[in-house]
């Protein structure tokens, strides 16, 4: 189902448009690249039945994901913090989605990620 497909994508090295955020609590998506790489393609990259970002976002919402600014976890050191801030400003088109049952450090929580 949808959460398992999403998890598989995040753990795969073949997708450049979607990844775990720094703390592994959020899904980060480069929207334009995701449209081309996942929604617009065919073959092994095509995991979802839709070709529209709006439909994919609706699926995220149906499974309890909420759009957020970015992962709340910040680095403790000043150089790492500044590097993260530079990356965020350079990637302002990145979308972040959070679900308390979808956490890289706690894969067993995935069972609680159900359709509303």
């Amino acid at each position: 189902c949808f959460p398992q497909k999403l998890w598989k994508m995040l753990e795969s090295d073949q997708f450049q448009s979607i990844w775990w955020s720094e703390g592994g609590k959020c899904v980060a998506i480069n929207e334009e690249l995701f449209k081309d790489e996942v929604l617009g393609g065919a073959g092994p990259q095509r995991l979802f039945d839709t070709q529209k970002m709006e439909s994919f976002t609706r699926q995220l919402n149906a499974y309890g994901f909420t759009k957020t600014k970015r992962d709340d976890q910040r680095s403790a050191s000043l150089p790492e913090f500044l590097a993260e801030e530079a990356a965020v400003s350079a990637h302002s088109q990145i979308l972040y989605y959070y679900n308390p049952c979808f956490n890289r450090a706690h894969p067993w929580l995935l069972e609680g990620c159900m359709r509303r």
Side-chain angles (χ1 to χ4, degrees):
C1 67
F2 183 82
Q4 284 82 8
K5 287 180 184 180
L6 187 60
W7 189 282
K8 183 179 176 182
M9 285 181 72
L10 292 163
E11 292 296 317
S12 170
D13 290 336
Q14 71 181 31
F15 298 97
Q16 303 300 310
S17 60
I18 186 167
W19 62 92
W20 290 105
S21 64
E22 293 89 5
K25 295 179 182 178
C26 294
V27 175
I29 303 171
N30 179 320
E31 185 176 5
E32 292 306 313
L33 185 56
F34 188 81
K35 286 178 185 176
D36 292 339
E37 182 182 52
V38 179
L39 302 178
Q45 304 270 83
R46 180 81 188 257
L47 292 175
F48 304 103
D49 293 334
T50 185
Q51 293 181 330
K52 295 183 180 181
M53 191 65 189
E54 295 80 14
S55 298
F56 180 78
T57 303
R58 223 175 286 123
Q59 282 281 20
L60 285 169
N61 293 330
Y63 280 91
F65 286 84
T66 55
K67 192 172 180 181
T68 184
K69 296 221 186 259
R70 65 179 298 223
D71 200 337
D72 291 334
Q73 185 171 334
R74 298 288 185 141
S75 297
S77 72
L78 182 59
E80 287 179 6
F81 175 79
L82 293 174
E84 287 177 7
E85 288 301 307
V88 167
S89 64
H91 297 98
S92 59
Q93 295 95 320
I94 306 301
L95 305 174
Y96 293 92
Y97 289 91
Y98 170 77
N99 182 323
C101 294
F102 203 86
N103 186 316
R104 188 177 198 182
H106 307 290
W108 58 88
L109 292 176
L110 190 59
E111 294 174 15
C113 193
M114 294 186 259
R115 190 173 182 87
R116 293 185 198 177

